[in-house]
Amino acid sequence: MANILQPTRGTRDLTGEDMARHQHVVETARHSAALYGFGEWQTPIFEDTRVFSRTLGETSDVVTKEMYSFEDRGGDSITLRPEGTAGVCRALITGGLTQTLPQKVFYAGPMFRYERPQKGRYRQFHQIGVELLGPATPLADAETISLGWRILQELGIAGEVGLHINTLGDAESRNAYRAQLVEYFSRYRDELSEDSKLRLEKNPLRILDSKDEGDRKLVADAPKMQACMTRDATAFYDSLLNYLTIFEVPHQHNPHIVRGLDYYNHTAFEFVTTALGAQGTVLAGGRYDGLVEQMGGPKVPGIGWAAGVERLSMLIAPPPTAPAPVAIIPMGADDEGRALEVLKTLRAHNIAAEMGYSGNVKKRLERANKAGAAFAVLIGARLELKNLADGGQTDVTIEDLSRQLRT
Ligand code: ATP
Ligand code: MG
């Protein structure tokens, strides 16, 4: 026998309960997003590499180490999307939608990052996310965050998750802070990790987000953003926290939340759990007022977040399973024709029904029980409805059937 090919490293198949969990997360999010007035978009899973390289920042881990980029047969550089925001902004611009704002976007789908696979970290993973494009008011941030909180509540995991929130200020506050960070970290230049030495040149704020042990020690005593905040930026943040209180979203200020991508300003936040060890961030995002302009579009402020479906799937309780389809069982070979009529009738009435492809009555009943069916219909000289839970059996007509099985 030939070798059995294995799934590519960092990818996984979704079947059975894994699929049920995944689907439950996505459908719960989709439903909540609709309640907040967000409509769904789907953008391609691959884009021109520049859609990501120009926007995520040249010092972000995603761009420097994690992108799945390749040259296609026409010689163009293509990248499998590592995240959703850049593609949505690209679609906003190329679709001419910057004329019809606000746009409130929900998306769900696979993302790709070349990372070392471990629990909760894959090379193909899935995200749900939202983007609210247009308004620059803190109310937009609050609604977007409130939607994230609601989804976590609907999934039954809000109790294990806390919202950590920070402000990165406006351009003026950020520049002032940047200067302070450069001064501080330059004093410890030799102690910084190689990555952070580079960040010191290009985007010193990113050092605050470093996962390196040594960096983290230095970060603990680094200057805080607060002192550099302009009046406007402070007012924005205060207003946001006030709205969060109105929306009843518990939150705590955390000055170390800066997010890994370069395009954030003002709001940055993460919903964090202690239940998943090192992979504790389940939903994260922020405001990105300069991104659309940076991509060549007009100035369109935006706020959004993304959440890892795999990590959410691990946290939720097994979702309720729908009962298996009604089992249609012909008593003998001659009864197959009538059994097929029953099968067609039930499906026509939107009742899930299936008929096995082989086996005697006993085998078929065993299989129906094992599959978790609530009812079987036995088709012989008579038509009988069998309740598989208590074994009770009653004669029925085909007209009765669809009425009784519709629950
Ligand atoms: P991390 O710090 O864990 O690497 P990140 O900052 O790279 O996360 P984001 O880019 O903010 O993550 O993506 C949002 C969410 O997507 C994360 O909080 C996480 O739940 C999920 N996620 C990111 N990368 C992966 C991955 N490789 N496998 C599974 N889920 C992921
Ligand atoms: Mg990462």
Side-chain angles (χ1 to χ4, degrees):
M1 209 169 70
N3 281 341
I4 295 173
L5 296 176
Q6 297 301 312
T8 308
R9 193 164 140 77
T11 67
R12 54 203 281 273
D13 301 307
L14 289 172
T15 63
E17 191 186 312
D18 289 337
M19 186 69 222
R21 285 171 177 268
H22 188 102
Q23 213 157 26
H24 182 68
V25 169
V26 173
E27 274 162 18
T28 301
R30 182 176 281 135
H31 177 74
S32 293
L35 290 176
Y36 277 66
F38 285 71
E40 187 159 353
W41 286 15
Q42 277 191 19
T43 63
I45 62 164
F46 58 84
E47 299 266 359
D48 185 310
T49 295
R50 290 169 296 184
V51 168
F52 308 108
S53 63
R54 282 192 188 167
T55 56
L56 304 187
E58 41 182 348
T59 59
S60 70
D61 284 353
V62 172
V63 170
T64 52
K65 303 177 206 156
E66 298 172 0
M67 291 217 300
Y68 270 96
S69 301
F70 59 92
E71 202 172 282
D72 71 8
R73 289 172 192 274
D76 293 323
S77 179
I78 297 294
T79 295
L80 299 183
R81 64 180 184 194
E83 56 103 54
T85 305
V88 166
C89 290
R90 197 271 308 136
L92 181 88
I93 301 167
T94 53
L97 297 166
T98 55
Q99 300 303 312
T100 43
L101 299 172
Q103 290 287 339
K104 297 164 79 174
V105 182
F106 167 80
Y107 64 83
M111 305 291 163
F112 305 85
R113 296 185 192 177
Y114 193 81
E115 303 202 65
R116 195 170 63 79
Q118 51 188 295
K119 188 172 175 243
R121 194 176 289 288
Y122 308 97
R123 289 181 173 177
Q124 173 171 336
F125 62 104
H126 298 77
Q127 285 184 339
I128 48 170
V130 301
E131 315 293 348
L132 205 175
L133 295 149
T137 153
L139 177 56
D141 304 46
E143 274 224 293
T144 304
I145 294 170
S146 162
L147 169 54
W149 178 240
R150 185 205 161 93
I151 292 168
L152 299 175
Q153 284 178 311
E154 294 286 318
L155 290 173
I157 58 179
E160 302 152 55
V161 174
L163 169 59
H164 295 243
I165 188 161
N166 189 23
T167 176
L168 307 171
D170 49 21
E172 195 183 332
S173 8
R174 220 174 138 151
N175 286 341
Y177 187 43
R178 187 190 154 102
Q180 286 200 4
L181 287 180
V182 170
E183 195 202 303
Y184 170 80
F185 285 117
S186 296
R187 276 189 266 145
Y188 302 99
R189 200 173 193 295
D190 296 343
E191 294 166 51
L192 286 172
S193 68
E194 287 309 310
D195 281 345
S196 285
K197 283 192 182 110
L198 194 70
R199 292 173 183 137
L200 187 56
E201 310 293 325
K202 303 206 154 148
N203 184 359
L205 247 84
R206 287 283 332 282
I207 301 176
L208 303 179
D209 191 41
S210 171
K211 284 174 189 124
D212 179 86
E213 282 279 324
D215 288 350
R216 296 201 74 89
K217 284 198 190 109
L218 295 173
V219 166
D221 293 323
K224 303 287 181 278
M225 178 78 202
Q226 220 121 13
C228 300
M229 292 279 285
T230 60
R231 288 249 306 268
D232 284 354
T234 305
F236 188 101
Y237 190 52
D238 288 347
S239 170
L240 166 57
L241 297 186
N242 189 39
Y243 279 127
L244 285 179
T245 305
I246 292 170
F247 279 115
E248 296 175 49
V249 183
H251 52 274
Q252 68 186 84
H253 176 72
N254 179 342
H256 293 144
I257 302 289
V258 294
R259 307 296 309 132
L261 309 178
D262 280 0
Y263 52 55
Y264 290 108
N265 68 312
H266 281 299
T267 315
F269 61 92
E270 296 186 359
F271 285 91
V272 180
T273 170
T274 45
L276 292 176
Q279 272 65 58
T281 303
V282 291
L283 187 154
R287 176 163 280 285
Y288 48 85
D289 291 344
L291 181 61
V292 174
E293 204 174 15
Q294 199 180 316
M295 293 183 89
K299 183 160 173 48
V300 178
I303 166 90
W305 53 253
V309 176
E310 283 77 5
R311 291 186 203 172
L312 292 173
S313 298
M314 285 193 282
L315 289 169
I316 62 173
T321 47
V326 174
I328 306 302
I329 302 180
M331 305 294 278
D334 294 347
D335 301 313
E336 191 184 85
R338 285 174 57 235
L340 288 173
E341 286 309 314
V342 173
L343 189 65
K344 280 163 58 185
T345 304
L346 290 182
R347 288 172 176 170
H349 284 85
N350 284 321
I351 295 161
E354 65 181 348
M355 189 168 90
Y357 302 97
S358 64
N360 59 25
V361 175
K362 184 161 169 277
K363 264 266 147 50
R364 287 170 187 256
L365 274 171
E366 272 170 21
R367 270 194 241 121
N369 268 311
K370 208 167 152 203
F375 292 99
V377 182
L378 304 174
I379 294 137
R382 313 204 308 273
L383 200 59
E384 291 172 289
L385 179 63
K386 188 177 177 68
N387 182 326
L388 293 174
D390 60 19
Q393 212 156 306
T394 48
D395 282 1
V396 283
T397 65
I398 196 160
E399 292 78 25
D400 290 342
L401 257 187
S402 10
R403 212 168 353 93
Q404 289 194 29
L405 291 173
R406 207 192 327 269
T407 41

